Amino acid sequence: MGTLREFQARHDLSMEALCGRILDRHQATIRVKKPAVAVANLGRIIETTLDLANRKGFHSMSLRDLTERSGLSMGALYTYFDSKETLLLMILGQVTGVAEEVLQQAADVPADPAERLRWLLETHIYLTEVMHPWFVFAFMEAKAFPKTSRDMAVASELLTEGLIAGALLAGQETGQFVLEDATMTAALIKPLLQDWYIKRGKHRRRGLTPEDYVRQVIKFTERAVGRCCPLTGAG
Amino acid sequence: MGTLREFQARHDLSMEALCGRILDRHQATIRVKKPAVAVANLGRIIETTLDLANRKGFHSMSLRDLTERSGLSMGALYTYFDSKETLLLMILGQVTGVAEEVLQQAADVPADPAERLRWLLETHIYLTEVMHPWFVFAFMEAKAFPKTSRDMAVASELLTEGLIAGALLAGQETGQFVLEDATMTAALIKPLLQDWYIKRGKHRRRGLTPEDYVRQVIKFTERAVGRCCPLTGAG
DNA sequence: GACTATATAGTGAGCGCTCGCTCTTATTTT
DNA sequence: AAAATAAGAGCGAGCGCTCACTATATAGTC
């Protein structure tokens, strides 16, 4: 099992890197020309938005709140997005984009089903740990998305589930896992991953580190899907 | 394992019954005198609120939306609550109240730990099935609650977890369950219960009935906490 | 049982205010 | 000097909420 640090070394998920990608994607909307300026201000805007929206909801966050807390003026904000909704979509798009990319980075995904399952659980938990406010935002505001974006969020959810189901099926064939229904089992595993970011406060209050949580989720899951009385650790 | 029907026969969770209790609790605020009238209109108000709020968020739901869809006028609404926030609190209070009551109904709770765990899982799933929009509302709007109410929601969450942890500990002593940390394990079981109402659409689309889901969650959980290679079903 | 008096329930235009957003003006950078 | 960026007052719309009012149900009187 890898550590959070190792995960972070593999993926640059700094605010700067993330905003760089947002800038690329939304060149059409963002009217600021100089990348350095744009990335810096986007960072301030998105950081503040995540903070305010996760505290009281995106809709309840007014753009005047956002100007005060970000230090940018009303007019300045509107050179970075053309509507409040676009701001929402920038964040959502980045979350689903990064999730897809990280969880399907072919070079990283182990071939062995049991290892792959462990890797998926670990990677998902670390990813949501590092981008915590982003994932909370996507989860909480999902219902308010316009139709197409809500579909995007659903698709992203089903992607993870599908990857887990794939590992379970493969493991079933090798005899490493014993289970009836891979899709259903994957659907039961997914909420364990989401709980890490949705109830993060509770887990933190109990002194749980991301590494602890990864270990616990892997153990719980492997007992639920593993062979009865495994002879040795690796199988 | 009981059925949803049996659960419903034991508990009257009709809109009428729920609104009757809300009326009792909020006599101080509700200015309508005749209980029959009050209960009927509260029912319309809350039904509409749950529908609108779960679709686009409580804050985004305007009271004008509510007047149109409920058929009551602006002024009429304000004889049932004194602010939009009070309306929110009425719903939240009822959710936490009913949850506490149903899950701790002493006469129903089995003594045997394994049975008790099964009963808790089943009862929680059926409760959230019957009061689905109420629980979605409480979950989604929790962050927007005023401090005291947010604490109420957290307490309610920890109550369920505590009851599960209690059953796990007891089962550990009798040798029915094998686990390291009852609190942590309960924390991993809780999200399985919540998933039933948070992702209800997905489960429904897959043709899952509440009874199916109860069965799956019980099986998954029991494998994760049970003794290795149980000799017979009942132990 | 018809008629009034009174209490209760319901109405909806309008209040003060804040919202998302625009646009002219000012400042900074090149 | 010109271009790029930031500023923030102002716009119409829509918000939560109030209040002077009407409609309806009930009680009391003869």
Coordinates of all heavy atoms in Angstrom, one line a residue, chain D residues 8-25:
Chain D
dG8 P -13.1 49.8 -6.0 OP1 -12.6 50.9 -5.2 OP2 -13.1 48.4 -5.5 O5' -14.7 50.1 -6.4 C5' -15.0 51.3 -7.1 C4' -16.4 51.2 -7.6 O4' -16.5 50.4 -8.8 C3' -17.4 50.6 -6.6 O3' -18.6 51.2 -6.7 C2' -17.5 49.2 -7.1 C1' -17.5 49.5 -8.6 N9 -17.3 48.4 -9.5 C8 -16.7 47.2 -9.2 N7 -16.7 46.4 -10.2 C5 -17.3 47.1 -11.3 C6 -17.6 46.8 -12.6 O6 -17.3 45.7 -13.2 N1 -18.2 47.8 -13.3 C2 -18.5 49.0 -12.8 N2 -19.1 49.9 -13.6 N3 -18.3 49.4 -11.5 C4 -17.7 48.4 -10.8
dA9 P -19.2 52.2 -5.5 OP1 -18.0 53.0 -4.9 OP2 -19.9 51.3 -4.6 O5' -20.2 53.2 -6.2 C5' -19.7 54.0 -7.2 C4' -20.8 54.2 -8.3 O4' -20.7 53.0 -9.2 C3' -22.2 54.2 -7.9 O3' -22.9 55.1 -8.7 C2' -22.7 52.8 -8.0 C1' -21.9 52.3 -9.2 N9 -21.6 50.9 -9.2 C8 -21.1 50.1 -8.1 N7 -20.9 48.9 -8.4 C5 -21.2 48.8 -9.8 C6 -21.2 47.7 -10.7 N6 -20.8 46.4 -10.4 N1 -21.6 47.9 -11.9 C2 -22.0 49.2 -12.3 N3 -22.0 50.3 -11.5 C4 -21.6 50.0 -10.3
dG10 P -24.5 55.4 -8.6 OP1 -24.8 56.7 -9.1 OP2 -24.9 55.0 -7.2 O5' -25.1 54.3 -9.6 C5' -24.8 54.4 -11.0 C4' -25.6 53.4 -11.7 O4' -25.0 52.0 -11.5 C3' -27.0 53.2 -11.3 O3' -27.8 53.2 -12.5 C2' -27.1 51.9 -10.5 C1' -26.0 51.1 -11.2 N9 -25.4 50.1 -10.4 C8 -25.0 50.1 -9.1 N7 -24.5 49.0 -8.7 C5 -24.6 48.1 -9.8 C6 -24.3 46.8 -9.9 O6 -23.7 46.0 -9.1 N1 -24.5 46.3 -11.2 C2 -25.1 47.0 -12.2 N2 -25.3 46.4 -13.3 N3 -25.4 48.3 -12.1 C4 -25.2 48.8 -10.8
dC11 P -29.4 53.3 -12.4 OP1 -29.9 54.4 -13.2 OP2 -29.9 53.2 -10.9 O5' -29.8 51.9 -13.0 C5' -29.3 51.6 -14.3 C4' -29.8 50.2 -14.7 O4' -29.0 49.2 -14.0 C3' -31.3 49.9 -14.3 O3' -32.1 49.7 -15.4 C2' -31.2 48.6 -13.4 C1' -29.8 48.1 -13.5 N1 -29.2 47.8 -12.2 C2 -28.7 46.4 -12.0 O2 -28.9 45.6 -12.9 N3 -28.2 46.1 -10.8 C4 -28.1 47.0 -9.8 N4 -27.6 46.6 -8.7 C5 -28.5 48.3 -10.0 C6 -29.1 48.7 -11.2
dG12 P -33.7 50.0 -15.2 OP1 -34.1 50.7 -16.4 OP2 -33.9 50.6 -13.9 O5' -34.2 48.5 -15.2 C5' -33.9 47.6 -16.2 C4' -34.1 46.2 -15.7 O4' -33.2 46.0 -14.6 C3' -35.5 45.9 -15.2 O3' -35.8 44.6 -15.7 C2' -35.4 45.9 -13.7 C1' -33.9 45.4 -13.5 N9 -33.3 45.8 -12.3 C8 -33.4 47.0 -11.6 N7 -32.7 47.1 -10.5 C5 -32.1 45.8 -10.4 C6 -31.3 45.3 -9.4 O6 -30.8 45.9 -8.4 N1 -30.9 44.0 -9.7 C2 -31.4 43.3 -10.8 N2 -30.9 42.0 -10.8 N3 -32.2 43.8 -11.7 C4 -32.5 45.0 -11.5
dA13 P -37.2 43.9 -15.6 OP1 -37.7 43.5 -16.9 OP2 -38.1 44.9 -14.7 O5' -36.9 42.7 -14.7 C5' -35.7 42.0 -14.9 C4' -35.5 40.9 -13.8 O4' -34.8 41.6 -12.7 C3' -36.8 40.3 -13.3 O3' -36.6 38.9 -13.2 C2' -37.0 41.0 -12.0 C1' -35.6 41.3 -11.5 N9 -35.4 42.4 -10.7 C8 -36.0 43.7 -10.8 N7 -35.7 44.5 -9.9 C5 -34.8 43.8 -9.0 C6 -34.2 44.1 -7.8 N6 -34.2 45.3 -7.3 N1 -33.4 43.2 -7.2 C2 -33.3 42.0 -7.8 N3 -33.9 41.5 -8.9 C4 -34.7 42.5 -9.5
dG14 P -37.8 37.9 -12.9 OP1 -37.6 36.7 -13.7 OP2 -39.0 38.7 -12.9 O5' -37.5 37.5 -11.4 C5' -36.2 37.1 -11.0 C4' -36.1 37.1 -9.5 O4' -36.0 38.5 -9.1 C3' -37.3 36.5 -8.8 O3' -36.9 35.5 -7.9 C2' -38.0 37.7 -8.2 C1' -36.8 38.6 -7.9 N9 -37.1 40.0 -7.8 C8 -38.0 40.8 -8.6 N7 -38.1 42.0 -8.2 C5 -37.2 42.1 -7.1 C6 -37.0 43.2 -6.2 O6 -37.4 44.3 -6.3 N1 -36.1 42.8 -5.2 C2 -35.5 41.6 -5.0 N2 -34.7 41.4 -4.0 N3 -35.8 40.5 -5.8 C4 -36.6 40.9 -6.8
dC15 P -37.9 34.7 -7.1 OP1 -37.5 33.3 -7.3 OP2 -39.3 35.1 -7.2 O5' -37.4 35.0 -5.6 C5' -36.0 34.8 -5.2 C4' -35.7 35.6 -4.0 O4' -35.8 37.0 -4.2 C3' -36.7 35.4 -2.9 O3' -36.4 34.2 -2.1 C2' -36.6 36.6 -2.0 C1' -36.2 37.7 -3.0 N1 -37.2 38.7 -3.4 C2 -37.4 39.8 -2.7 O2 -36.7 40.0 -1.7 N3 -38.3 40.8 -3.0 C4 -39.1 40.5 -4.1 N4 -40.0 41.5 -4.5 C5 -38.9 39.3 -4.9 C6 -38.0 38.4 -4.5
dG16 P -37.4 33.4 -1.3 OP1 -36.8 32.1 -1.0 OP2 -38.7 33.5 -1.9 O5' -37.5 34.3 0.1 C5' -36.3 34.4 0.9 C4' -36.6 35.4 2.0 O4' -37.1 36.6 1.4 C3' -37.7 34.9 3.0 O3' -37.3 35.4 4.3 C2' -38.9 35.6 2.4 C1' -38.4 37.0 1.9 N9 -39.1 37.5 0.8 C8 -39.6 36.9 -0.3 N7 -40.3 37.7 -1.1 C5 -40.3 38.9 -0.5 C6 -40.8 40.1 -0.9 O6 -41.5 40.4 -1.9 N1 -40.6 41.1 0.1 C2 -39.9 41.0 1.2 N2 -39.8 42.1 2.0 N3 -39.3 39.8 1.6 C4 -39.6 38.8 0.7
dC17 P -38.2 34.9 5.6 OP1 -37.4 35.1 6.8 OP2 -38.9 33.7 5.3 O5' -39.3 36.1 5.6 C5' -38.8 37.5 5.8 C4' -40.0 38.4 5.7 O4' -40.5 38.5 4.3 C3' -41.2 38.1 6.5 O3' -41.3 39.1 7.6 C2' -42.4 38.2 5.5 C1' -41.8 38.9 4.3 N1 -42.4 38.6 3.0 C2 -43.0 39.7 2.3 O2 -43.1 40.8 2.8 N3 -43.6 39.4 1.1 C4 -43.5 38.2 0.6 N4 -44.1 38.0 -0.6 C5 -42.9 37.1 1.3 C6 -42.4 37.4 2.5
dT18 P -42.5 39.2 8.6 OP1 -42.0 39.7 9.8 OP2 -43.3 37.9 8.5 O5' -43.5 40.3 7.9 C5' -42.9 41.6 7.7 C4' -43.9 42.5 7.2 O4' -44.4 42.2 5.9 C3' -45.2 42.6 8.1 O3' -45.5 44.0 8.3 C2' -46.2 41.8 7.4 C1' -45.9 42.1 5.9 N1 -46.2 41.2 4.9 C2 -46.8 41.6 3.7 O2 -47.1 42.8 3.5 N3 -47.1 40.7 2.8 C4 -46.9 39.3 2.9 O4 -47.2 38.6 2.0 C5 -46.2 38.9 4.1 C7 -45.9 37.4 4.3 C6 -46.0 39.8 5.0
dC19 P -46.4 44.4 9.5 OP1 -45.6 45.4 10.2 OP2 -47.0 43.3 10.3 O5' -47.6 45.2 8.8 C5' -47.5 45.6 7.4 C4' -48.8 45.7 6.8 O4' -49.1 44.6 5.9 C3' -50.0 45.7 7.8 O3' -51.0 46.6 7.3 C2' -50.5 44.3 7.8 C1' -50.3 43.9 6.3 N1 -50.1 42.5 6.0 C2 -50.4 42.0 4.8 O2 -50.8 42.8 3.9 N3 -50.3 40.7 4.5 C4 -49.9 39.9 5.5 N4 -49.7 38.6 5.2 C5 -49.6 40.3 6.8 C6 -49.7 41.6 7.0
dA20 P -51.7 47.7 8.3 OP1 -50.7 48.8 8.3 OP2 -52.1 47.1 9.5 O5' -52.9 48.2 7.4 C5' -52.8 48.7 6.1 C4' -53.8 48.1 5.1 O4' -53.5 46.7 5.0 C3' -55.2 48.2 5.6 O3' -56.1 48.5 4.5 C2' -55.6 46.8 6.1 C1' -54.7 45.9 5.2 N9 -54.3 44.6 5.7 C8 -54.0 44.3 7.0 N7 -53.7 43.0 7.2 C5 -53.9 42.5 6.0 C6 -53.7 41.2 5.5 N6 -53.3 40.1 6.3 N1 -53.9 40.9 4.2 C2 -54.3 42.0 3.4 N3 -54.5 43.2 3.7 C4 -54.3 43.4 5.0
dC21 P -57.6 48.8 4.7 OP1 -58.0 49.8 3.7 OP2 -58.0 49.0 6.1 O5' -58.2 47.4 4.2 C5' -58.1 47.0 2.8 C4' -58.4 45.5 2.7 O4' -57.6 44.8 3.6 C3' -59.8 45.1 3.0 O3' -60.6 45.1 1.8 C2' -59.6 43.7 3.5 C1' -58.1 43.5 3.6 N1 -57.7 42.7 4.8 C2 -57.5 41.3 4.6 O2 -57.7 40.8 3.5 N3 -57.1 40.6 5.7 C4 -56.9 41.2 6.9 N4 -56.5 40.4 7.9 C5 -57.1 42.6 7.0 C6 -57.5 43.3 6.0
dT22 P -62.2 44.8 1.9 OP1 -62.8 45.6 0.8 OP2 -62.6 44.9 3.3 O5' -62.2 43.3 1.5 C5' -61.6 42.8 0.4 C4' -61.7 41.3 0.3 O4' -61.0 40.7 1.5 C3' -63.2 40.8 0.4 O3' -63.4 39.8 -0.5 C2' -63.3 40.2 1.9 C1' -61.8 39.7 2.1 N1 -61.4 39.7 3.6 C2 -60.9 38.6 4.1 O2 -60.9 37.5 3.5 N3 -60.5 38.7 5.4 C4 -60.6 39.8 6.2 O4 -60.2 39.7 7.4 C5 -61.1 41.0 5.6 C7 -61.1 42.2 6.4 C6 -61.5 40.9 4.3
dA23 P -64.8 39.1 -0.7 OP1 -64.9 38.7 -2.2 OP2 -65.8 39.8 0.0 O5' -64.5 37.7 0.0 C5' -63.5 36.8 -0.4 C4' -63.6 35.6 0.5 O4' -63.2 35.9 1.8 C3' -64.9 34.9 0.6 O3' -64.7 33.5 0.4 C2' -65.4 35.2 2.0 C1' -64.1 35.3 2.7 N9 -64.0 36.2 3.9 C8 -64.4 37.5 3.9 N7 -64.3 38.1 5.1 C5 -63.7 37.1 5.9 C6 -63.3 37.1 7.2 N6 -63.3 38.1 8.0 N1 -62.7 35.9 7.7 C2 -62.7 34.9 6.8 N3 -63.0 34.8 5.6 C4 -63.5 35.9 5.1
dT24 P -66.0 32.5 0.3 OP1 -65.6 31.5 -0.8 OP2 -67.2 33.3 0.2 O5' -65.9 31.8 1.7 C5' -64.7 31.1 2.1 C4' -64.8 30.8 3.6 O4' -64.9 32.0 4.3 C3' -66.1 30.0 3.9 O3' -65.7 28.8 4.5 C2' -66.8 30.9 5.0 C1' -65.6 31.7 5.5 N1 -65.9 33.0 6.2 C2 -65.6 33.2 7.5 O2 -65.1 32.3 8.1 N3 -65.9 34.4 8.0 C4 -66.5 35.5 7.3 O4 -66.7 36.5 7.9 C5 -66.8 35.3 6.0 C7 -67.5 36.3 5.2 C6 -66.5 34.0 5.4
dA25 P -66.8 27.6 4.7 OP1 -66.2 26.4 4.1 OP2 -68.1 28.0 4.3 O5' -66.8 27.4 6.3 C5' -65.5 27.2 7.0 C4' -65.7 27.6 8.4 O4' -66.0 29.0 8.5 C3' -66.8 26.8 9.1 O3' -66.2 26.2 10.3 C2' -67.9 27.9 9.5 C1' -67.0 29.1 9.5 N9 -67.7 30.4 9.2 C8 -68.3 30.7 8.1 N7 -68.8 32.0 8.1 C5 -68.5 32.5 9.3 C6 -68.7 33.7 9.9 N6 -69.3 34.7 9.3 N1 -68.2 33.9 11.2 C2 -67.6 32.8 11.8 N3 -67.3 31.6 11.3 C4 -67.8 31.5 10.0

